Amino acid sequence: MEPMTDGNRSSAGAPRTSAPAATSFETQPSRYKHWKLRVDGDIATLVMAVDDAHPHKPGYELKLNSYDLSVDIELADAILRLRFEHPEVKCVVMTAELDRVFCSGANIYMLGQSTHSFKVNFCKFTNETRLYLEDASANSGLASLCACKGTTAGGGYELALACDETMLVDDGNSAVSFPETPLLAVLPGTGGLTRLVDKRKVRRDRADVFCTTAEGIKGKRAKDWGLVDHLVSRTKWDESVIAAAKALAAKQTVTRGPAVVLPPLECKITPDALRYRYVEVAIDAGARTAALLVRGPEADAVMDFTSPDTWSLRAFRELDDALLRLRFDFPDIGVVTVRTAGDPKLVVSHDEILAKTNTGFAREVRLLQRRVLKRYDNTARSLYAVADRADSCFAGSLLELALGADRFYMLIDDGIGVATSVANTGFMTTSTGMSRLEARFFGDPARVKAVLERGASKPRNGASSNDSAARTKFVDDHQLTHVVELIESEEAEQLGIATVAADDIDFADELRIAIEERASLSPDALTGMEQSLRFVGPETMETKIFGRLSAWQNWIFTRANSTGEHGALTLYGRPERPQFQWKRT
Amino acid sequence: MEPMTDGNRSSAGAPRTSAPAATSFETQPSRYKHWKLRVDGDIATLVMAVDDAHPHKPGYELKLNSYDLSVDIELADAILRLRFEHPEVKCVVMTAELDRVFCSGANIYMLGQSTHSFKVNFCKFTNETRLYLEDASANSGLASLCACKGTTAGGGYELALACDETMLVDDGNSAVSFPETPLLAVLPGTGGLTRLVDKRKVRRDRADVFCTTAEGIKGKRAKDWGLVDHLVSRTKWDESVIAAAKALAAKQTVTRGPAVVLPPLECKITPDALRYRYVEVAIDAGARTAALLVRGPEADAVMDFTSPDTWSLRAFRELDDALLRLRFDFPDIGVVTVRTAGDPKLVVSHDEILAKTNTGFAREVRLLQRRVLKRYDNTARSLYAVADRADSCFAGSLLELALGADRFYMLIDDGIGVATSVANTGFMTTSTGMSRLEARFFGDPARVKAVLERGASKPRNGASSNDSAARTKFVDDHQLTHVVELIESEEAEQLGIATVAADDIDFADELRIAIEERASLSPDALTGMEQSLRFVGPETMETKIFGRLSAWQNWIFTRANSTGEHGALTLYGRPERPQFQWKRT
């Protein structure tokens, strides 16, 4: 048995019954150990300078700019801060402090020592971070240039592939490479294979040669094959990096800002709960369930769309952090119930004002909400949304939590219902490119329309009689002209939003049995099932990375040829040669 | 170590060094043990009547119309024969001889006793057969109706999902179900999850409930949820089946025929080779390589497009059979070299005449070629196409073998080259829906155009000087007006067709080293890598089945929760309850 939060296989001496040690996903530039963030006008530079003495867990050294979870948590933080805190930056340059090595990829000893579940979650997190780089470029006017002045191997090259452009030094030695398959018997698992052919459109037979050539490809051939965009000598390196970064910056046309500094989230952690301002997670380790609660804005919540404390940002940042902690620190939790609490009208109002606010900051908040909801879709736990509180609040952006869940249970009771907002009309796309409503009614757009029309807020003729005083003031303050229609549980079931709507005679038993049954099933089969049912419809590079590439990598990670006693990943760095089982499957 | 052809885990007493026993994929209706094929006008009936005493391997009984490889080989044969031998049939009805059970799915004891590699190949074959049913409906005017007059579980319901319409008996008892996840800790692995949401567009939360409800869903709810198309009482069953089949038949507008009876392929099997008329496979067990050779038509080959012996059909049927035997009987073979031999002009001529022949039979031949090439793409072995014979013949439909390979090695020598034909211009799509040329030059249609224009046959001004007498006669006989342009190796490399073109000083060594290196790599990592690089571009229901669903299933099959000592699949039918490891990954 592995300790809950331990990425290392060896757990000798760790008390098994203690509260889980918490993995922190929060940091800030002044605390970075592995990256240096510099901002100079419209160009930022992220210097990878991995401190080999500070790995995420003891047991390995982060030599040659190899990375582990700690390194990637800092990278994710840096990208997020560039988006929110440095709107003047139009291009970020990734580079390294070492002169002959850009990055040698994920640390192999770390992988070799990690449990299967840690490896899978580590890869998922690094994949999300790479996608966030691409999201910043596509939607936020923040381009990226990877300046590889030396060896760029494995995950290092995968980071380069996630950037808009890649520059490789032409020194007769420095190569880009994917040595995973020939040296470790695993895949480049952070999107590399997919991006190689689907994004960079490297010819598939050349990609085949590249991915089986441990030493990689350098110089003119790397450029000719489309593996890199720029090939530059050492003497012209610095000026070329600046020129390419400036050229990328000059192409950006998206209006950003105002700058908003992201404050700490102040998560309170106890052995059985995570508590934030708007988000709570209660853990029932014995039942292997967690109860996630997301609160809507208070009536007097900050509605200043220049503030990091605005509900739309704060609540979703907290949700993001909670999802990551669930993934890494509570791997035995199989079922997560998802409840909401608050005033649906306030959520809808926040959504509507956010949508109407024409600033870069407001756009960043919407994009962050979208990314957090994708992280939710991609969390390998059974998600049951539950509307049974009198103050249940599945409205607008919070309704997405119900639409993204595997099932949605609604109690039939006065005042319990769902409400739509502008957040449900298309912007909050899943990784397939469809909205959650479109995915729910795949192939039947009329049903999407029916829900949105039924739920559409109606023109307001004075304050509605059941409007709270806070709401009325809110509506007046923001000159809103619409009121919200609550779709109660029975109608929500008829419209196809609720999976089950039941009255209070049946509800509690039905939900309890559904949770117990779900928690009793094989977690592996459930992950595969949910991956197939959640991502209905078109596939994208993003879904290919999580659905096709990661699925094969998960399989490969379980095989003796990589992680067995005589497997290549296990034996890396030792004198013994791996012994393979040769069956092709 | 497992015997090469043995699907069973236990191999006590089997001599380990003997020649592999051969799996035969050829059969015919008079030899069927598990199905009865009846044809009555434009309706055919395929009655599933599984003989439980004749499993594919000893060790389990095929009770309750459960199936194994033998049952599915007959089904695949029946569909093929309906297409070629019964062009009058416009709808095939799948039904069962048992009165209360349609089909209880893949036999669980068979799965529990099988090796991982057998399970994966068995699932792949059944998946291909289901897709062939859909191909017949989409392209050949052969619709299908699944008449489920009783329990329809697991793979039984997956068969139903592959049909155009499904009829379920409304008897208060008969249900459709996917008990795999709740009972066996695996997935419905034959396309079921994908078809449920992507083809039938069952709402994802309902699909989630369905897939975790072992007893399934019956009656009105099955119809309301879109799990079945027709719900019919026992008293009205027979007439309703006929009416629905007739209605499907009436919709068919595709011209079929003439009928052509498919003769046996007469494969000669020795311990180290498979030999057909046009196809040969030489096995080098020590090197874990196989040499596949496909010959083009002889100068006097049958060009009668009403004959089953026409090269275009015979050679591709042989290739199909060889691929299946490779998959099942030679699992240790990692690298397959693919060579061709013959006169490129004759292949191009056969392709062109086949394309011009406006009969149902000719269409069936083209569709069969396309399916065989998809089977090739989906074969989990490294495929190296090699043009080094003086009579190398990578032309037209045979050029697809080079374009579908992971790499293409070409010797630079007089007369060695490639040629395109109408077969390369779009019809021979891969499962992504793109042609192999489009996949090769993904995102760069100009390069596709350049190859097709360069290789296009030119108007003929009398016989070309290097035309053989046979070719000249052929051209005259068929009133062809074009001659073929051979693209020699160096130019093929420049155009992006060859991965490597080398002269005879370097060629043999380079190829030998490439094969040896490839054969030394982990077969698992290679499968995952090839699955990611081969299927560039858009995804379809077909690629989702093989890439997403099958990848997850492969992973799940390796997990202790299903196939471990205490796994659910292992313990099925025994009194012990499975014990699960709860980590979610």
Side-chain angles (χ1 to χ4, degrees), chain A residues 262-291:
Chain A
L262 300 173
L265 294 177
E266 296 161 6
C267 178
K268 292 184 188 61
I269 303 175
T270 57
D272 57 0
L274 305 172
R275 284 194 187 80
Y276 306 80
R277 188 180 306 171
Y278 295 110
V279 173
E280 288 177 30
V281 182
I283 302 290
D284 183 340
R288 282 178 282 99
T289 62

Coordinates of all heavy atoms in Angstrom, one line a residue, chain A residues 262-291:
Chain A
L262 N -2.6 38.1 -8.3 CA -3.4 37.0 -7.7 C -3.0 36.7 -6.3 O -1.8 36.4 -6.0 CB -3.2 35.7 -8.6 CG -3.6 35.8 -10.0 CD1 -3.2 34.6 -10.8 CD2 -5.1 36.0 -10.2
P263 N -3.9 36.9 -5.3 CA -3.6 36.6 -3.9 C -3.6 35.1 -3.6 O -4.1 34.3 -4.4 CB -4.7 37.3 -3.2 CG -5.8 37.3 -4.1 CD -5.3 37.3 -5.5
P264 N -3.0 34.7 -2.5 CA -3.0 33.3 -2.1 C -4.5 32.9 -1.9 O -5.3 33.7 -1.6 CB -2.2 33.3 -0.8 CG -1.4 34.5 -0.8 CD -2.2 35.6 -1.6
L265 N -4.7 31.6 -2.0 CA -6.1 31.1 -1.8 C -6.4 30.7 -0.4 O -7.6 30.6 0.0 CB -6.2 29.8 -2.7 CG -6.2 30.1 -4.2 CD1 -6.3 28.8 -5.0 CD2 -7.2 31.1 -4.6
E266 N -5.4 30.6 0.5 CA -5.7 30.4 1.9 C -6.6 29.1 2.1 O -7.6 29.2 2.8 CB -6.3 31.6 2.5 CG -5.4 32.8 2.5 CD -6.1 34.1 2.7 OE1 -7.3 34.1 2.9 OE2 -5.4 35.2 2.5
C267 N -6.1 28.0 1.6 CA -6.9 26.8 1.8 C -6.6 26.3 3.3 O -5.4 26.2 3.7 CB -6.4 25.7 0.8 SG -7.2 24.1 1.1
K268 N -7.7 26.0 4.0 CA -7.5 25.4 5.3 C -7.6 23.9 5.2 O -8.7 23.4 4.7 CB -8.6 26.0 6.3 CG -8.4 27.4 6.5 CD -9.4 28.0 7.5 CE -9.3 29.5 7.7 NZ -9.6 30.1 6.3
I269 N -6.6 23.2 5.6 CA -6.5 21.8 5.4 C -6.6 21.0 6.8 O -5.9 21.3 7.7 CB -5.2 21.4 4.7 CG1 -5.1 22.1 3.4 CG2 -5.2 19.9 4.5 CD1 -3.8 21.9 2.7
T270 N -7.6 20.2 6.9 CA -7.7 19.3 8.0 C -7.6 17.8 7.5 O -7.7 17.7 6.2 CB -9.0 19.5 8.8 OG1 -10.1 19.3 7.9 CG2 -9.0 20.9 9.4
P271 N -7.5 16.8 8.3 CA -7.3 15.5 7.7 C -8.5 15.1 6.8 O -8.3 14.3 5.9 CB -7.3 14.6 9.0 CG -6.7 15.5 10.0 CD -7.3 16.8 9.8
D272 N -9.7 15.6 7.1 CA -10.8 15.2 6.3 C -11.5 16.3 5.5 O -12.7 16.1 5.1 CB -11.8 14.4 7.2 CG -12.3 15.3 8.3 OD1 -11.9 16.4 8.4 OD2 -13.1 14.8 9.1
A273 N -10.8 17.4 5.4 CA -11.5 18.5 4.6 C -10.5 19.5 4.1 O -9.4 19.7 4.6 CB -12.5 19.2 5.5
L274 N -10.9 20.1 3.0 CA -10.2 21.3 2.4 C -11.3 22.4 2.4 O -12.4 22.2 2.0 CB -9.8 21.0 1.0 CG -9.0 19.8 0.7 CD1 -8.9 19.6 -0.9 CD2 -7.6 20.0 1.3
R275 N -10.9 23.5 3.0 CA -11.9 24.6 3.1 C -11.3 25.9 2.5 O -10.2 26.4 2.9 CB -12.3 24.9 4.5 CG -13.3 23.9 5.0 CD -14.0 24.3 6.3 NE -14.8 23.1 6.7 CZ -14.3 22.1 7.4 NH1 -13.0 22.1 7.7 NH2 -15.0 21.1 7.8
Y276 N -12.0 26.5 1.5 CA -11.6 27.8 0.9 C -12.8 28.7 1.2 O -13.7 28.4 1.8 CB -11.4 27.6 -0.6 CG -10.4 26.6 -1.1 CD1 -10.8 25.2 -1.1 CD2 -9.1 26.9 -1.5 CE1 -10.0 24.3 -1.6 CE2 -8.3 25.9 -1.9 CZ -8.7 24.6 -2.0 OH -7.8 23.7 -2.5
R277 N -12.7 29.9 0.6 CA -13.8 30.9 0.9 C -15.1 30.3 0.3 O -16.1 30.4 0.9 CB -13.4 32.2 0.3 CG -14.4 33.3 0.7 CD -14.1 34.7 0.1 NE -12.8 35.1 0.5 CZ -12.2 36.2 0.0 NH1 -12.9 37.0 -0.9 NH2 -11.0 36.5 0.3
Y278 N -15.0 29.9 -1.0 CA -16.2 29.5 -1.7 C -16.3 28.0 -1.9 O -17.3 27.5 -2.4 CB -16.3 30.2 -3.1 CG -16.4 31.7 -3.0 CD1 -15.4 32.5 -3.4 CD2 -17.6 32.2 -2.5 CE1 -15.5 33.9 -3.3 CE2 -17.7 33.6 -2.4 CZ -16.7 34.4 -2.8 OH -16.8 35.8 -2.7
V279 N -15.2 27.3 -1.7 CA -15.2 25.8 -2.1 C -14.8 25.0 -0.8 O -14.0 25.4 0.0 CB -14.1 25.6 -3.2 CG1 -14.0 24.1 -3.4 CG2 -14.6 26.3 -4.5
E280 N -15.5 23.9 -0.7 CA -15.2 23.0 0.4 C -15.2 21.6 -0.1 O -16.0 21.2 -1.0 CB -16.3 23.0 1.5 CG -16.3 24.3 2.4 CD -17.4 24.2 3.4 OE1 -17.8 23.1 3.8 OE2 -17.9 25.3 3.7
V281 N -14.3 20.8 0.4 CA -14.2 19.4 0.0 C -14.2 18.6 1.3 O -13.3 18.8 2.1 CB -13.0 19.0 -0.8 CG1 -13.0 17.5 -1.2 CG2 -12.9 19.9 -2.1
A282 N -15.2 17.8 1.6 CA -15.2 16.9 2.8 C -14.9 15.5 2.3 O -15.6 15.0 1.4 CB -16.6 17.0 3.4
I283 N -13.9 14.9 3.0 CA -13.5 13.6 2.6 C -14.1 12.5 3.5 O -14.0 12.7 4.7 CB -11.9 13.5 2.7 CG1 -11.3 14.6 1.8 CG2 -11.4 12.1 2.4 CD1 -11.4 14.4 0.4
D284 N -14.6 11.5 2.9 CA -15.1 10.3 3.7 C -14.2 9.2 3.3 O -14.5 8.4 2.3 CB -16.5 10.0 3.5 CG -17.0 8.9 4.4 OD1 -16.2 8.1 4.9 OD2 -18.3 8.8 4.6
A285 N -13.1 9.0 3.9 CA -12.1 8.0 3.5 C -12.6 6.6 3.5 O -12.3 5.8 2.6 CB -10.8 8.1 4.3
G286 N -13.4 6.3 4.5 CA -14.0 5.0 4.7 C -14.9 4.6 3.5 O -14.9 3.5 3.0
A287 N -15.7 5.6 3.1 CA -16.7 5.3 2.0 C -16.0 5.6 0.6 O -16.6 5.3 -0.4 CB -17.9 6.2 2.1
R288 N -14.8 6.1 0.7 CA -14.1 6.5 -0.6 C -14.9 7.5 -1.4 O -15.0 7.4 -2.6 CB -13.7 5.3 -1.4 CG -12.4 4.6 -0.8 CD -12.0 3.3 -1.6 NE -12.9 2.2 -1.2 CZ -13.9 1.8 -1.9 NH1 -14.2 2.4 -3.1 NH2 -14.7 0.8 -1.5
T289 N -15.5 8.4 -0.7 CA -16.2 9.5 -1.4 C -15.8 10.8 -0.9 O -15.2 11.0 0.2 CB -17.7 9.4 -1.1 OG1 -18.0 9.5 0.3 CG2 -18.3 8.0 -1.5
A290 N -16.0 11.8 -1.7 CA -15.7 13.2 -1.3 C -17.0 14.0 -1.6 O -17.7 13.7 -2.6 CB -14.5 13.8 -2.0
A291 N -17.2 15.0 -0.8 CA -18.4 15.9 -1.0 C -17.8 17.3 -1.4 O -17.2 17.9 -0.5 CB -19.3 16.0 0.2

